[in-house]
Amino acid sequence: MTCDILIEGAAVLAMDAAGTIHAPGYVAITGERIVALGAGRGRDAPEAWDAPSIIAGSGLIVMPGFVNTHTHVAMAAFRGLGEDVPDRLRRFIFPLEKRLVTRELVRRASEFCIAEMLRSGTTTFADMYYFEDEVAHAARRLHIRALLGETVVDFPSPDSAEAYGGIAYAGRFAAEWRGDSLVSPCFAPHAPYTVADDKLRETCEEARRLGARILMHVAETEAERDLYAARGTSTLRHLDSLGCLGPDFVAAHMIHVDAADIELAAARGMGVAHCPASNSKGGRPIAAASTMVEAGVRLGLATDGPLSGNGMDMQGIVGLYPKLQKVRLGRRDVVSAQDAVYAATIGGAGALGLDDITGSLEPGKMADILVADARSFSMLPVHDWYSTVAFSMRPSDVAWVLVGGKIVRDRSGLTTVDEEELLDSIIRVAEDCRREQAGL
Amino acid sequence: MTCDILIEGAAVLAMDAAGTIHAPGYVAITGERIVALGAGRGRDAPEAWDAPSIIAGSGLIVMPGFVNTHTHVAMAAFRGLGEDVPDRLRRFIFPLEKRLVTRELVRRASEFCIAEMLRSGTTTFADMYYFEDEVAHAARRLHIRALLGETVVDFPSPDSAEAYGGIAYAGRFAAEWRGDSLVSPCFAPHAPYTVADDKLRETCEEARRLGARILMHVAETEAERDLYAARGTSTLRHLDSLGCLGPDFVAAHMIHVDAADIELAAARGMGVAHCPASNSKGGRPIAAASTMVEAGVRLGLATDGPLSGNGMDMQGIVGLYPKLQKVRLGRRDVVSAQDAVYAATIGGAGALGLDDITGSLEPGKMADILVADARSFSMLPVHDWYSTVAFSMRPSDVAWVLVGGKIVRDRSGLTTVDEEELLDSIIRVAEDCRREQAGL
């Protein structure tokens, strides 16, 4: 049988419900999709697969691309800026954005940041920011799968002269990009404390009318927790009372949640984007992520934005998740390496409601694939595939990345763009930022 | 003026007491040592430095090499093996070592692991294991600075047929390698719960008689804490009562310590090797590392061994340290990015008692230098040098590494060894391990 691309390697980690590993194994791809996978070399399989394009090697680990469930990619422009400033969001980030964020900055910084993600093996991400139609163009240009949430917030924002202008902006964005094979426009109410109840209800209703998903920061801050506790409720129960929660709702953070909230999150089928790097860097309590998973909550992992989380590679997250959960529970036998890789792939796809098309290697699914070369000083020796992926893989170990059957990264870098152009571009963007920021 | 090597880059982070940054800056090296550093290009400096070997670039960050204060490099052979086995040390690791650890395994795995460390910018490490004279040969071959502690333990070990054979082994090792410019032999009593009090006293006395340092696991486990609490004391106070503590003593972990222990550690001038990755992966409480630093304890950072800590690059540690401390204290304004880089360089050198020769860039010190190329998708944009190093640098961003004035790594890899040979070697070692381990 002939397929378009045949991948053969030391191990194929399918990340399917059965936990299938083919070692060695192969994956056959035709068009956008996986058509077959199995043990051994594809050319020796009963179907005797052959392809014009073959990726093969005795040290290759083949797995689903990472799913990064919560980002603000355009903030790559500001990475490292004001790193140790207190009360960073209100005193630093919001004024900075007001002055600096333009359509052009969003496009250029998004292209740069998507490049970092694709190079390190992320094939799907969910984003919340301004000018999300520019992020959409960047995602298409570099060829990555994306849920892109246009921000709705109670003050004038970089792309809306009026408070709550994001509702109309998101509506236009959703209409323009309807049916795109890579980009799904979403509504992104910023947080419960920056969106009034009636506007939040309106945002969710409008999103659902247009078939768009809803992305939101939820139960992230202490102030938010105290606000709803004083009203005898919790952030999540409050959002539920407004009709927000459902399988099309993705909550980032979910730090300040109690047992009833976790039960509610599972019952509503909503997604959770767990952000261990940015949460810990912010000095926040460790979210009860593994407890949520055990309760049946659809949970994925996320870097958060480059200002809060810095590194946008999921290699920095997939190992941090089990470490922090082990610390939280005071035991090493929780969140195995396999659990961690699960959360970073099919778990994340489930949280975003995309597990029917991506997040695992199964016939019929989109060919969103990471191929790592384990013949490296960070990854060898390989005794346990999951441990190697969770704790040892580094971004530079990623050798090929496919999104929807297209090879977007090979050993020499991204195939879709001129990398040097993107590097030059972000340097110029950052210089502009520093000039402006000097006046803040 | 002519020097041997001139390095010119975007920034020179001296990591000296004054926190000097020359941006742009230069470093001039002659023989093993730094002879000058300053602002601007060295060729334009008043001394008009020139050199036969020039490392220069507008995106280069020049800083001291990382100091990894606690490792077991030969355990690279086992990385990822039995990742999620409970009671791993007694039930898994000790039997595994008894069966597998030979002189040849130690040499081959050490060479591989030192390669991973040097490639990622570590220029000094402290190790505890068996056959440490083989680790010494590996360190010399690859050219890295090392404190190497031969293990003393209360059972027959891979290199000693009798319990406590390590004392005599360490004595021979110290005699043979006395005066070496890179390797300092040390005595490494394994832990308070695996070395009897009289033998611990004897070990420390013998080490001091030979002018060797003492490396030890201290206050790591709950069982150890409870043991000494039942006797009305603490691990550290018990060690002090035996006369162990001093500026030549380096304690790894130091998790179960109270305020009196911290005061004692500062008073004795001892070093502490803080291991955030392995401690968190082990589900242990977060050590009070930043509190120790504030109390004046000489604290450095460490990966721990590849079995407990997996990745041996310090990039995986330098950002984890502040994150975990912020979680521990529940606030983001502790352990700045600069504090983190400090702990990973000059802090670690101080903990090992080597801050007179390495850990910062100052005239007269050894030229142990990391040069990173910030023109990468992980590091750009650079708004804050310390944030970029602490949170964004990845191992592949390291472009040159010097140890004692010798270029041991350049853009194409290690200069001292055939990298392919080391990769092949660890694959064979791991295959042998798996065959043997199948019988465990």
Side-chain angles (χ1 to χ4, degrees), chain B residues 58-100:
Chain B
S58 62
L60 303 183
I61 296 179
V62 186
M63 56 177 279
F66 290 121
V67 178
N68 190 346
T69 56
H70 179 64
T71 66
H72 313 284
V73 292
M75 296 178 87
F78 314 134
R79 175 155 63 188
L81 203 58
E83 187 65 74
D84 293 300
V85 171
D87 189 16
R88 216 175 174 207
L89 186 66
R90 292 265 181 195
R91 277 181 46 190
F92 185 73
I93 299 175
F94 284 160
L96 187 78
E97 288 179 327
K98 191 173 172 189
R99 195 179 284 218
L100 292 178

Short mmCIF file of all heavy atoms in Angstrom, two decimals, chain B residues 58-100:
data_model
loop_
_atom_site.label_atom_id
_atom_site.label_comp_id
_atom_site.label_asym_id
_atom_site.label_seq_id
_atom_site.Cartn_x
_atom_site.Cartn_y
_atom_site.Cartn_z
N SER B 58 27.16 39.42 18.47
CA SER B 58 26.28 40.43 19.06
C SER B 58 25.20 39.80 19.93
O SER B 58 24.53 40.49 20.68
CB SER B 58 25.64 41.26 17.95
OG SER B 58 24.85 40.41 17.13
N GLY B 59 25.00 38.50 19.84
CA GLY B 59 23.96 37.86 20.64
C GLY B 59 24.50 37.02 21.79
O GLY B 59 23.75 36.30 22.43
N LEU B 60 25.79 37.14 22.08
CA LEU B 60 26.39 36.23 23.07
C LEU B 60 26.23 36.74 24.51
O LEU B 60 26.44 37.91 24.79
CB LEU B 60 27.87 36.03 22.77
CG LEU B 60 28.21 35.49 21.37
CD1 LEU B 60 29.72 35.26 21.25
CD2 LEU B 60 27.44 34.21 21.07
N ILE B 61 25.87 35.83 25.38
CA ILE B 61 25.86 36.09 26.82
C ILE B 61 27.01 35.29 27.43
O ILE B 61 27.11 34.08 27.23
CB ILE B 61 24.52 35.67 27.47
CG1 ILE B 61 23.37 36.51 26.90
CG2 ILE B 61 24.58 35.81 28.99
CD1 ILE B 61 21.99 36.14 27.45
N VAL B 62 27.88 35.99 28.15
CA VAL B 62 29.09 35.38 28.71
C VAL B 62 28.95 35.37 30.23
O VAL B 62 28.69 36.42 30.84
CB VAL B 62 30.34 36.18 28.30
CG1 VAL B 62 31.61 35.48 28.77
CG2 VAL B 62 30.36 36.42 26.79
N MET B 63 29.08 34.23 30.82
CA MET B 63 28.88 34.12 32.28
C MET B 63 29.73 32.97 32.82
O MET B 63 30.28 32.18 32.04
CB MET B 63 27.39 33.87 32.58
CG MET B 63 26.82 32.66 31.86
SD MET B 63 25.07 32.33 32.28
CE MET B 63 25.31 31.47 33.86
N PRO B 64 29.85 32.89 34.15
CA PRO B 64 30.58 31.75 34.69
C PRO B 64 29.87 30.46 34.32
O PRO B 64 28.64 30.43 34.24
CB PRO B 64 30.52 31.96 36.21
CG PRO B 64 30.01 33.35 36.42
CD PRO B 64 29.29 33.76 35.20
N GLY B 65 30.59 29.39 34.12
CA GLY B 65 29.96 28.08 33.93
C GLY B 65 29.16 27.72 35.16
O GLY B 65 29.41 28.20 36.27
N PHE B 66 28.15 26.87 34.95
CA PHE B 66 27.34 26.42 36.08
C PHE B 66 28.16 25.51 37.00
O PHE B 66 29.06 24.79 36.55
CB PHE B 66 26.12 25.63 35.59
CG PHE B 66 25.09 26.47 34.89
CD1 PHE B 66 24.72 26.19 33.58
CD2 PHE B 66 24.46 27.53 35.55
CE1 PHE B 66 23.75 26.95 32.93
CE2 PHE B 66 23.48 28.29 34.90
CZ PHE B 66 23.12 28.00 33.59
N VAL B 67 27.80 25.54 38.28
CA VAL B 67 28.41 24.65 39.28
C VAL B 67 27.31 23.71 39.76
O VAL B 67 26.31 24.16 40.32
CB VAL B 67 28.99 25.46 40.45
CG1 VAL B 67 29.57 24.52 41.51
CG2 VAL B 67 30.07 26.43 39.94
N ASN B 68 27.48 22.44 39.51
CA ASN B 68 26.49 21.42 39.89
C ASN B 68 27.01 20.75 41.15
O ASN B 68 27.95 19.97 41.12
CB ASN B 68 26.33 20.42 38.74
CG ASN B 68 25.16 19.48 38.96
OD1 ASN B 68 24.62 19.37 40.06
ND2 ASN B 68 24.77 18.79 37.91
N THR B 69 26.39 21.06 42.29
CA THR B 69 26.99 20.73 43.59
C THR B 69 26.71 19.33 44.11
O THR B 69 27.22 18.96 45.18
CB THR B 69 26.54 21.76 44.65
OG1 THR B 69 25.09 21.76 44.70
CG2 THR B 69 27.04 23.15 44.33
N HIS B 70 25.91 18.55 43.38
CA HIS B 70 25.64 17.18 43.87
C HIS B 70 25.15 16.30 42.73
O HIS B 70 24.09 16.55 42.15
CB HIS B 70 24.59 17.20 44.98
CG HIS B 70 24.25 15.84 45.52
ND1 HIS B 70 25.17 15.06 46.18
CD2 HIS B 70 23.10 15.11 45.49
CE1 HIS B 70 24.59 13.91 46.53
NE2 HIS B 70 23.34 13.92 46.12
N THR B 71 25.94 15.27 42.40
CA THR B 71 25.58 14.35 41.31
C THR B 71 26.03 12.93 41.66
O THR B 71 26.73 12.70 42.66
CB THR B 71 26.28 14.74 39.99
OG1 THR B 71 27.69 14.56 40.15
CG2 THR B 71 26.01 16.17 39.58
N HIS B 72 25.57 12.01 40.83
CA HIS B 72 26.09 10.63 40.82
C HIS B 72 26.19 10.28 39.34
O HIS B 72 25.33 9.60 38.79
CB HIS B 72 25.12 9.68 41.52
CG HIS B 72 24.62 10.16 42.85
ND1 HIS B 72 25.41 10.12 43.98
CD2 HIS B 72 23.44 10.70 43.23
CE1 HIS B 72 24.72 10.61 45.00
NE2 HIS B 72 23.51 10.97 44.58
N VAL B 73 27.21 10.80 38.67
CA VAL B 73 27.21 10.78 37.21
C VAL B 73 27.16 9.38 36.61
O VAL B 73 26.56 9.17 35.55
CB VAL B 73 28.39 11.58 36.60
CG1 VAL B 73 28.22 13.06 36.86
CG2 VAL B 73 29.74 11.07 37.08
N ALA B 74 27.77 8.41 37.27
CA ALA B 74 27.80 7.06 36.68
C ALA B 74 26.40 6.45 36.60
O ALA B 74 26.16 5.52 35.83
CB ALA B 74 28.72 6.16 37.49
N MET B 75 25.47 6.97 37.40
CA MET B 75 24.10 6.44 37.35
C MET B 75 23.37 6.85 36.07
O MET B 75 22.21 6.47 35.88
CB MET B 75 23.34 6.86 38.61
CG MET B 75 23.96 6.26 39.86
SD MET B 75 23.14 6.75 41.39
CE MET B 75 21.86 5.49 41.47
N ALA B 76 24.05 7.59 35.21
CA ALA B 76 23.49 7.82 33.87
C ALA B 76 23.15 6.51 33.19
O ALA B 76 22.22 6.44 32.37
CB ALA B 76 24.46 8.62 33.02
N ALA B 77 23.86 5.45 33.53
CA ALA B 77 23.57 4.14 32.95
C ALA B 77 22.13 3.70 33.22
O ALA B 77 21.54 2.96 32.45
CB ALA B 77 24.54 3.10 33.51
N PHE B 78 21.57 4.15 34.34
CA PHE B 78 20.25 3.68 34.78
C PHE B 78 19.14 4.70 34.57
O PHE B 78 18.01 4.48 34.99
CB PHE B 78 20.28 3.34 36.28
CG PHE B 78 21.46 2.53 36.72
CD1 PHE B 78 22.19 2.88 37.86
CD2 PHE B 78 21.87 1.42 35.99
CE1 PHE B 78 23.27 2.14 38.27
CE2 PHE B 78 22.96 0.68 36.40
CZ PHE B 78 23.67 1.03 37.54
N ARG B 79 19.45 5.83 33.96
CA ARG B 79 18.45 6.91 33.87
C ARG B 79 17.11 6.40 33.33
O ARG B 79 17.05 5.84 32.24
CB ARG B 79 19.00 8.03 32.99
CG ARG B 79 18.00 9.13 32.73
CD ARG B 79 18.65 10.46 32.42
NE ARG B 79 19.45 10.48 31.20
CZ ARG B 79 20.22 11.51 30.84
NH1 ARG B 79 20.31 12.57 31.63
NH2 ARG B 79 20.91 11.46 29.73
N GLY B 80 16.04 6.64 34.09
CA GLY B 80 14.71 6.24 33.67
C GLY B 80 14.31 4.83 34.05
O GLY B 80 13.16 4.43 33.88
N LEU B 81 15.27 4.07 34.59
CA LEU B 81 14.99 2.67 34.94
C LEU B 81 14.18 2.61 36.24
O LEU B 81 14.54 3.24 37.22
CB LEU B 81 16.32 1.93 35.11
CG LEU B 81 16.39 0.42 34.96
CD1 LEU B 81 15.90 -0.03 33.59
CD2 LEU B 81 17.84 -0.04 35.15
N GLY B 82 13.09 1.86 36.23
CA GLY B 82 12.26 1.72 37.43
C GLY B 82 11.71 3.05 37.90
O GLY B 82 11.62 3.31 39.10
N GLU B 83 11.34 3.90 36.95
CA GLU B 83 10.98 5.29 37.27
C GLU B 83 9.92 5.37 38.37
O GLU B 83 10.04 6.21 39.26
CB GLU B 83 10.48 5.99 35.99
CG GLU B 83 10.24 7.49 36.14
CD GLU B 83 11.54 8.25 36.40
OE1 GLU B 83 12.35 8.42 35.47
OE2 GLU B 83 11.73 8.67 37.55
N ASP B 84 8.91 4.53 38.32
CA ASP B 84 7.81 4.69 39.27
C ASP B 84 7.73 3.56 40.29
O ASP B 84 6.68 3.27 40.84
CB ASP B 84 6.50 4.89 38.50
CG ASP B 84 6.49 6.22 37.75
OD1 ASP B 84 6.61 7.26 38.42
OD2 ASP B 84 6.41 6.22 36.51
N VAL B 85 8.89 2.94 40.57
CA VAL B 85 8.96 1.89 41.60
C VAL B 85 8.93 2.54 42.99
O VAL B 85 9.67 3.49 43.23
CB VAL B 85 10.27 1.07 41.44
CG1 VAL B 85 10.46 0.13 42.62
CG2 VAL B 85 10.27 0.32 40.12
N PRO B 86 8.08 2.02 43.92
CA PRO B 86 8.09 2.60 45.27
C PRO B 86 9.30 2.12 46.08
O PRO B 86 9.91 1.10 45.73
CB PRO B 86 6.79 2.07 45.89
CG PRO B 86 6.20 1.07 44.95
CD PRO B 86 7.08 0.96 43.74
N ASP B 87 9.64 2.83 47.15
CA ASP B 87 10.81 2.53 48.00
C ASP B 87 12.02 2.22 47.14
O ASP B 87 12.67 1.18 47.26
CB ASP B 87 10.51 1.35 48.94
CG ASP B 87 11.62 1.16 49.99
OD1 ASP B 87 12.43 2.08 50.16
OD2 ASP B 87 11.67 0.08 50.59
N ARG B 88 12.32 3.15 46.26
CA ARG B 88 13.25 2.91 45.17
C ARG B 88 14.68 2.62 45.64
O ARG B 88 15.37 1.79 45.04
CB ARG B 88 13.27 4.17 44.31
CG ARG B 88 13.42 3.92 42.84
CD ARG B 88 13.28 5.24 42.14
NE ARG B 88 13.56 5.13 40.73
CZ ARG B 88 14.01 6.14 40.00
NH1 ARG B 88 14.26 7.30 40.57
NH2 ARG B 88 14.24 5.99 38.72
N LEU B 89 15.13 3.30 46.69
CA LEU B 89 16.54 3.20 47.08
C LEU B 89 16.87 1.78 47.56
O LEU B 89 17.77 1.14 47.02
CB LEU B 89 16.85 4.23 48.17
CG LEU B 89 18.32 4.35 48.58
CD1 LEU B 89 19.15 4.90 47.44
CD2 LEU B 89 18.46 5.24 49.81
N ARG B 90 16.14 1.32 48.57
CA ARG B 90 16.47 0.03 49.19
C ARG B 90 16.00 -1.15 48.33
O ARG B 90 16.68 -2.15 48.23
CB ARG B 90 15.80 -0.08 50.57
CG ARG B 90 16.37 0.88 51.59
CD ARG B 90 17.46 0.21 52.42
NE ARG B 90 17.98 1.15 53.42
CZ ARG B 90 19.10 0.95 54.08
NH1 ARG B 90 19.84 -0.12 53.87
NH2 ARG B 90 19.52 1.82 54.97
N ARG B 91 14.84 -1.04 47.72
CA ARG B 91 14.28 -2.19 47.00
C ARG B 91 14.79 -2.29 45.58
O ARG B 91 14.73 -3.35 44.97
CB ARG B 91 12.74 -2.10 46.98
CG ARG B 91 12.11 -2.64 48.24
CD ARG B 91 10.59 -2.57 48.19
NE ARG B 91 10.02 -3.04 46.92
CZ ARG B 91 8.75 -2.88 46.58
NH1 ARG B 91 7.91 -2.26 47.41
NH2 ARG B 91 8.30 -3.32 45.43
N PHE B 92 15.25 -1.18 45.03
CA PHE B 92 15.58 -1.20 43.61
C PHE B 92 17.04 -0.79 43.34
O PHE B 92 17.80 -1.52 42.73
CB PHE B 92 14.60 -0.29 42.85
CG PHE B 92 14.78 -0.33 41.37
CD1 PHE B 92 14.37 -1.44 40.64
CD2 PHE B 92 15.38 0.72 40.69
CE1 PHE B 92 14.54 -1.49 39.27
CE2 PHE B 92 15.56 0.68 39.33
CZ PHE B 92 15.14 -0.43 38.61
N ILE B 93 17.40 0.39 43.82
CA ILE B 93 18.71 0.93 43.43
C ILE B 93 19.87 0.14 44.03
O ILE B 93 20.80 -0.23 43.31
CB ILE B 93 18.81 2.43 43.80
CG1 ILE B 93 17.72 3.21 43.06
CG2 ILE B 93 20.19 2.96 43.46
CD1 ILE B 93 17.65 4.67 43.43
N PHE B 94 19.83 -0.12 45.35
CA PHE B 94 20.96 -0.83 45.96
C PHE B 94 21.17 -2.22 45.33
O PHE B 94 22.30 -2.57 44.97
CB PHE B 94 20.79 -0.92 47.49
CG PHE B 94 21.07 0.38 48.23
CD1 PHE B 94 20.58 0.59 49.52
CD2 PHE B 94 21.83 1.40 47.66
CE1 PHE B 94 20.84 1.76 50.22
CE2 PHE B 94 22.10 2.58 48.36
CZ PHE B 94 21.60 2.75 49.64
N PRO B 95 20.10 -3.05 45.17
CA PRO B 95 20.31 -4.35 44.50
C PRO B 95 20.81 -4.21 43.06
O PRO B 95 21.66 -4.98 42.60
CB PRO B 95 18.92 -5.00 44.52
CG PRO B 95 18.13 -4.25 45.53
CD PRO B 95 18.71 -2.89 45.65
N LEU B 96 20.28 -3.22 42.37
CA LEU B 96 20.70 -2.97 40.99
C LEU B 96 22.20 -2.67 40.93
O LEU B 96 22.94 -3.22 40.12
CB LEU B 96 19.90 -1.79 40.45
CG LEU B 96 20.03 -1.44 38.98
CD1 LEU B 96 19.19 -2.41 38.16
CD2 LEU B 96 19.54 -0.02 38.72
N GLU B 97 22.63 -1.80 41.83
CA GLU B 97 24.04 -1.41 41.83
C GLU B 97 24.94 -2.60 42.17
O GLU B 97 26.00 -2.77 41.58
CB GLU B 97 24.26 -0.29 42.85
CG GLU B 97 23.69 1.04 42.37
CD GLU B 97 23.88 2.15 43.37
OE1 GLU B 97 23.86 1.88 44.59
OE2 GLU B 97 24.02 3.31 42.93
N LYS B 98 24.48 -3.40 43.12
CA LYS B 98 25.28 -4.54 43.54
C LYS B 98 25.57 -5.44 42.34
O LYS B 98 26.66 -5.97 42.18
CB LYS B 98 24.52 -5.30 44.62
CG LYS B 98 25.35 -6.35 45.31
CD LYS B 98 24.60 -6.96 46.47
CE LYS B 98 25.39 -8.15 47.01
NZ LYS B 98 24.63 -8.91 48.00
N ARG B 99 24.57 -5.60 41.48
CA ARG B 99 24.70 -6.51 40.36
C ARG B 99 25.43 -5.88 39.16
O ARG B 99 26.14 -6.56 38.43
CB ARG B 99 23.30 -6.94 39.93
CG ARG B 99 23.31 -8.16 39.02
CD ARG B 99 21.89 -8.55 38.65
NE ARG B 99 21.22 -9.22 39.76
CZ ARG B 99 20.39 -10.25 39.58
NH1 ARG B 99 20.16 -10.72 38.37
NH2 ARG B 99 19.80 -10.80 40.61
N LEU B 100 25.26 -4.59 38.98
CA LEU B 100 25.65 -3.99 37.71
C LEU B 100 26.89 -3.11 37.72
O LEU B 100 27.55 -2.92 36.69
CB LEU B 100 24.50 -3.13 37.17
CG LEU B 100 23.25 -3.87 36.74
CD1 LEU B 100 22.21 -2.86 36.30
CD2 LEU B 100 23.57 -4.82 35.60
#
